[in-house]
Amino acid sequence: MQEALNDLENSEILSREQAALLRRIYGRELFSVHWELRLLLYGGILILTTGLGLLVAKHFASIGHLTLLAAIVLGGLACFAYCLRNGGGFSPERLAAPDAAYDYVLLLGCLLLGTLQGYLELRYQLLAQNWNWWLLVSALTYLLCAHYFDNRLVLSLALSTLGAWLGVKTSLLGARPWDGGLRDNALFFGVLVVGAGVIQARLGWKRHFLPVHLHLGVNVLLAVLVAGVGPSTAGATYLAGLLLACSCSALYALRDRSFAFLLYSVLYGYLGITTFVFNRGHWSSEGIILYFLVSAASLLTALVAVHRRFRSAE
């Protein structure tokens, strides 16, 4: 590498300053802290909004309703004003963030909006038993913000909130965790998220949002199918659907060189098959231990080998 840099510098393809910078990078004198800073920003915003929510829940009577309401509203307005002033406006294409804090300021504004809705419901009981509709309002608002400001963090928040609304709505109807009704709604939600992302990408509308849709939708679909494999009488049907979904995820991973989707297909497929086998057979303790030793070792070996192939292909 050093010889190549010397040749490029002697050939005047690189200036002396450029070559010196590349030598420092190659010698690991310089390294990026980009993701560390983003993680700190993300964690700081989550801690801030969590603390604010706890403050509202426990001390809103002593601090004063108007004071808390004004603080939350002004904080949210300040965040959205910052994004409107510094953002480039709406575009169906990908927009570069004007600065490192832009995405996180928008996320903070959206979380403050959610805190405001929770405060209003806690204080004034505006929707009472229908409080779950606040989740739908939040999800639609977050979707609008994600598309207007081109923010994948807020898109993840919007899709998660939409899924939470659907789950809470079903639970209020008396559904128990992972029973038939809740599984059906979760399957519908997973298909909806994946389908919306694919259609949006095909239409050329925010193509870079597709991975967010796929990661969330595929995980929901596979988790629901694994849950259906268990004690359900339709366990074989769920297992067949799980294997089909895992195959599609693996094919997508191989086509787009995305190891995450291959990992999803392998892990969820393993969980589904293991659940199906143990729920429909009588196993001794020795057989269970042997099964996990052999299967887990084989699975880990295969994943390491495939990951090395993915790395070498890059």
Side-chain angles (χ1 to χ4, degrees), residues 142-217:
Y142 298 157
L143 276 175
L144 178 63
C145 291
H147 285 81
Y148 183 82
F149 294 105
D150 194 54
N151 192 298
R152 286 180 289 181
L153 279 174
V154 176
L155 176 64
S156 300
L157 179 64
L159 296 176
S160 301
T161 306
L162 184 61
W165 169 75
L166 192 61
V168 170
K169 182 177 174 60
T170 307
S171 299
L172 291 177
L173 297 176
R176 291 173 296 179
W178 295 119
D179 73 353
L182 194 56
R183 279 200 301 267
D184 292 342
N185 281 343
L187 281 172
F188 168 75
F189 173 70
V191 172
L192 177 66
V193 170
V194 172
V198 171
I199 292 172
Q200 190 171 298
R202 291 289 179 88
L203 294 176
W205 183 282
K206 301 290 186 184
R207 289 188 180 95
H208 56 291
F209 280 2
L210 179 60
V212 178
H213 284 264
L214 292 181
H215 280 288
L216 178 61

Side-chain angles (χ1 to χ4, degrees), residues 2 9 51 64 77 89 96 105-106 112-113 118 121 134 150 158 173-174 177 243-244 250-251 271 277 287 307:
Q2 294 289 356
E9 184 180 4
L77 289 177
V105 172
L106 178 61
L112 286 175
L113 176 62
E121 183 60 32
W134 282 117
D150 194 54
L173 297 176
L243 295 178
L244 178 61
L251 289 174
L271 287 174
V277 168
H307 185 257

Side-chain angles (χ1 to χ4, degrees), residues 230-245:
S232 173
T233 55
T237 304
Y238 275 99
L239 179 62
L242 174 64
L243 295 178
L244 178 61

